[in-house]
Amino acid sequence: MSRFDFHQQHAERARSEAQRLFDQREVLGSRWLTWVAAELYQLSPPEYAAMVRRELQLLNAGDR
């Protein structure tokens, strides 16, 4: 599967997962960074985890 195909196939799921993680920020407060790092570490394959991480960065940038 090409990188483009992988991205197309998993983009919506990555956005949903990033939103789920981002939504826990206020709930967890100062523990959020450690928690979200552990959650990202568990995602597989690494390419998918990178997609979720990028989506989280976009959500965080939009929150400022």
Side-chain angles (χ1 to χ4, degrees):
M1 174 183 301
S2 74
R3 184 174 179 220
F4 177 79
D5 291 337
F6 183 88
H7 181 81
Q8 290 293 347
Q9 186 175 357
H10 298 288
E12 187 58 39
R13 192 176 108 201
R15 278 190 286 277
S16 295
E17 181 67 10
Q19 187 66 57
R20 180 187 76 81
L21 297 173
F22 189 76
D23 289 345
Q24 293 300 308
R25 196 170 66 161
E26 287 188 31
V27 174
L28 295 172
S30 63
R31 297 175 302 156
W32 183 77
L33 275 178
T34 303
W35 175 82
V36 81
E39 292 290 308
L40 288 169
Y41 183 76
Q42 294 177 42
L43 295 178
S44 183
E47 296 83 0
Y48 174 69
M51 289 174 68
V52 174
R53 194 171 17 259
R54 279 191 300 274
E55 293 296 330
L56 269 173
Q57 289 172 340
L58 291 173
L59 288 169
N60 192 46
D63 193 48
R64 292 182 182 174

